[in-house]
Amino acid sequence: MAPPNTDRKDWPLFEIFIRPKNGLSHKHVGSLHAADARMALDNARDVYTRRGEGVSIWAVPAASIAASDPSEKASLFEPADDKIYRHPTFYDIPAAVKNI
Amino acid sequence: MSTDRQQALFGYALRLGDTSLVLGHRLSEWCGHAPELEEDIALTNVALDLVGHARLLLSYAGEIEGKGRDEDRLAYRRDVFDYRNHLLAEQPNRDFGHTIVRQFLHDSWAVELYGRLAASADPTLAGIAAKAVKEVRYHVRHSADWLIRLGDGTDVSRARVADALERLWSYTGEMFERDAAEDTLVAAGIAPDPAELRTAWNTRVAAVLEEATLDRPTDGWMQKGGRRGEHSEHLGYLLAEMQFLPRAYPDAVW
């Protein structure tokens, strides 16, 4: 048997964002592997837009995303839970105003 | 429509339809075997597009023929010598590089063909071509990108695609052949002129090979026969697999 090819490296991971239609923002849909950005866009087209899901694709190297640490969840997010006054729910909205 | 014109149009649609069907089936053999998951999906997407073109073209061929043969009848109930596909399309997959070279040589022809056929004097062919060309533009982008990566890649990838180019080059002449029946279609503005396709194909292929740092093989003796039903031994095995179910269980439905 031939020795295993130790040169083989996995392609870098890309996170894929798709804009479902004009006017909406890009939404994260998943991730994939690709050798470079152009291949990431092609692969995203084939993997995530086969059923007419989108009008625009962003491919972002996963290594470029700065993510919050899950272990800091309590200190980062829980303080907001008991500050209901930050929600604009105390205003009377005139009936004539729509789309709020 | 005169009988001669009808016969010519039937032959034309059949050749295009068979080439798409056979190549689509070849690509579908990669399903579950491609080197990467993403590429597996890409190759089978292209396969589905090609089978889609074949359905439209064979349905139209059956309609022109007027003997009640539909797409399934044409696809599943003809034997090797009744198939009219290019020999290039039936060549086996071998390795990924070989598949990419075969695909690129075909796509470069198909994109020029359908781009022109979209302006055909025959409204049905024009409609089919207008739909197909959007897909084929993506196919050629995909196969050209890969050929450049592999040609200008490692020693192994380069050797494989260079070998495939030599192996497959003699099958490229058939794409630009013409016969008397096609001459009448060209004269009537129904089919594009194969000589024009060849010029455009040469330009595209030369540009991509240069970027891939690969040498263009010299034009020598060219294989022919597929368009007349004379095929390599590979097509029989392909049809045996593709036609097994409808042959074993005639008139089976989903």
Side-chain angles (χ1 to χ4, degrees), chain B residues 27-37 39-44:
Chain B
L27 283 181
S28 77
E29 293 170 1
W30 275 106
C31 188
H33 300 280
E36 296 284 338
L37 173 66
E39 191 52 32
D40 201 285
I41 297 173
L43 286 175
T44 42

CSV table of all heavy atoms in Angstrom, one decimal, chain B residues 27-37 39-44:
chain,number,residue,atom,x,y,z
B,27,LEU,N,-21.3,12.3,-16.4
B,27,LEU,CA,-21.0,13.1,-15.2
B,27,LEU,C,-21.7,12.6,-14.0
B,27,LEU,O,-21.2,12.6,-12.9
B,27,LEU,CB,-21.4,14.5,-15.5
B,27,LEU,CG,-20.5,15.4,-16.4
B,27,LEU,CD1,-21.0,16.8,-16.5
B,27,LEU,CD2,-19.1,15.4,-15.8
B,28,SER,N,-22.9,12.0,-14.3
B,28,SER,CA,-23.7,11.5,-13.1
B,28,SER,C,-23.0,10.3,-12.4
B,28,SER,O,-23.2,10.0,-11.3
B,28,SER,CB,-25.1,11.1,-13.5
B,28,SER,OG,-25.1,9.8,-14.2
B,29,GLU,N,-22.1,9.7,-13.2
B,29,GLU,CA,-21.3,8.6,-12.6
B,29,GLU,C,-20.4,9.0,-11.5
B,29,GLU,O,-19.9,8.2,-10.7
B,29,GLU,CB,-20.5,7.8,-13.7
B,29,GLU,CG,-21.3,7.1,-14.7
B,29,GLU,CD,-20.5,6.6,-15.9
B,29,GLU,OE1,-19.3,6.8,-15.9
B,29,GLU,OE2,-21.1,6.1,-16.8
B,30,TRP,N,-20.1,10.4,-11.4
B,30,TRP,CA,-19.3,10.9,-10.4
B,30,TRP,C,-20.1,11.0,-9.0
B,30,TRP,O,-19.5,11.3,-8.0
B,30,TRP,CB,-18.8,12.3,-10.8
B,30,TRP,CG,-17.5,12.2,-11.6
B,30,TRP,CD1,-17.4,12.5,-12.9
B,30,TRP,CD2,-16.2,11.9,-11.1
B,30,TRP,NE1,-16.1,12.3,-13.3
B,30,TRP,CE2,-15.3,12.0,-12.2
B,30,TRP,CE3,-15.6,11.6,-9.8
B,30,TRP,CZ2,-14.0,11.7,-12.1
B,30,TRP,CZ3,-14.3,11.4,-9.7
B,30,TRP,CH2,-13.5,11.4,-10.9
B,31,CYS,N,-21.4,10.9,-9.1
B,31,CYS,CA,-22.2,11.1,-7.9
B,31,CYS,C,-21.7,10.2,-6.8
B,31,CYS,O,-21.7,9.0,-6.9
B,31,CYS,CB,-23.6,10.8,-8.2
B,31,CYS,SG,-24.7,11.3,-6.9
B,32,GLY,N,-21.2,10.9,-5.7
B,32,GLY,CA,-20.7,10.1,-4.5
B,32,GLY,C,-19.2,9.8,-4.6
B,32,GLY,O,-18.7,9.1,-3.7
B,33,HIS,N,-18.6,10.1,-5.7
B,33,HIS,CA,-17.2,9.7,-5.9
B,33,HIS,C,-16.2,10.9,-6.2
B,33,HIS,O,-15.0,10.7,-6.3
B,33,HIS,CB,-17.1,8.8,-7.1
B,33,HIS,CG,-17.8,7.5,-7.0
B,33,HIS,ND1,-17.4,6.5,-6.3
B,33,HIS,CD2,-19.0,7.2,-7.5
B,33,HIS,CE1,-18.3,5.5,-6.3
B,33,HIS,NE2,-19.3,5.9,-7.0
B,34,ALA,N,-16.8,12.1,-6.2
B,34,ALA,CA,-15.9,13.3,-6.6
B,34,ALA,C,-14.9,13.5,-5.4
B,34,ALA,O,-15.2,13.1,-4.3
B,34,ALA,CB,-16.7,14.5,-6.8
B,35,PRO,N,-13.8,14.2,-5.7
B,35,PRO,CA,-12.8,14.4,-4.7
B,35,PRO,C,-13.2,15.2,-3.5
B,35,PRO,O,-12.6,15.1,-2.4
B,35,PRO,CB,-11.6,15.1,-5.4
B,35,PRO,CG,-12.1,15.4,-6.8
B,35,PRO,CD,-13.4,14.7,-7.0
B,36,GLU,N,-14.1,16.1,-3.6
B,36,GLU,CA,-14.6,16.9,-2.5
B,36,GLU,C,-16.2,16.9,-2.6
B,36,GLU,O,-16.7,16.8,-3.7
B,36,GLU,CB,-14.2,18.3,-2.6
B,36,GLU,CG,-12.7,18.5,-2.5
B,36,GLU,CD,-12.2,18.4,-1.1
B,36,GLU,OE1,-12.9,18.5,-0.1
B,36,GLU,OE2,-11.0,18.1,-0.9
B,37,LEU,N,-16.8,17.0,-1.4
B,37,LEU,CA,-18.2,17.0,-1.4
B,37,LEU,C,-18.8,18.1,-2.3
B,37,LEU,O,-19.8,17.9,-3.0
B,37,LEU,CB,-18.7,17.3,0.1
B,37,LEU,CG,-20.2,17.5,0.3
B,37,LEU,CD1,-21.0,16.2,-0.1
B,37,LEU,CD2,-20.5,17.9,1.7
B,39,GLU,N,-17.5,19.6,-4.8
B,39,GLU,CA,-17.3,19.3,-6.2
B,39,GLU,C,-18.3,18.2,-6.7
B,39,GLU,O,-18.7,18.1,-7.9
B,39,GLU,CB,-15.9,18.9,-6.5
B,39,GLU,CG,-15.5,18.8,-7.9
B,39,GLU,CD,-15.8,20.1,-8.7
B,39,GLU,OE1,-15.8,21.2,-8.2
B,39,GLU,OE2,-16.1,19.9,-9.9
B,40,ASP,N,-18.6,17.3,-5.8
B,40,ASP,CA,-19.6,16.2,-6.1
B,40,ASP,C,-20.9,16.9,-6.5
B,40,ASP,O,-21.5,16.5,-7.5
B,40,ASP,CB,-19.8,15.4,-4.9
B,40,ASP,CG,-20.3,14.0,-5.2
B,40,ASP,OD1,-21.5,13.9,-5.4
B,40,ASP,OD2,-19.5,13.0,-5.1
B,41,ILE,N,-21.3,17.9,-5.7
B,41,ILE,CA,-22.6,18.5,-6.0
B,41,ILE,C,-22.5,19.4,-7.3
B,41,ILE,O,-23.4,19.4,-8.1
B,41,ILE,CB,-23.0,19.4,-4.8
B,41,ILE,CG1,-23.2,18.6,-3.6
B,41,ILE,CG2,-24.2,20.3,-5.1
B,41,ILE,CD1,-23.4,19.3,-2.3
B,42,ALA,N,-21.3,20.0,-7.5
B,42,ALA,CA,-21.1,20.8,-8.7
B,42,ALA,C,-21.2,19.9,-10.0
B,42,ALA,O,-21.9,20.2,-10.9
B,42,ALA,CB,-19.8,21.5,-8.7
B,43,LEU,N,-20.5,18.8,-10.0
B,43,LEU,CA,-20.6,17.9,-11.2
B,43,LEU,C,-21.9,17.3,-11.4
B,43,LEU,O,-22.4,17.2,-12.6
B,43,LEU,CB,-19.6,16.7,-11.0
B,43,LEU,CG,-18.1,17.1,-11.1
B,43,LEU,CD1,-17.2,15.8,-10.8
B,43,LEU,CD2,-17.8,17.5,-12.5
B,44,THR,N,-22.7,17.0,-10.4
B,44,THR,CA,-24.0,16.4,-10.6
B,44,THR,C,-25.0,17.5,-11.0
B,44,THR,O,-25.9,17.2,-11.7
B,44,THR,CB,-24.5,15.6,-9.4
B,44,THR,OG1,-24.1,16.3,-8.2
B,44,THR,CG2,-23.8,14.3,-9.3
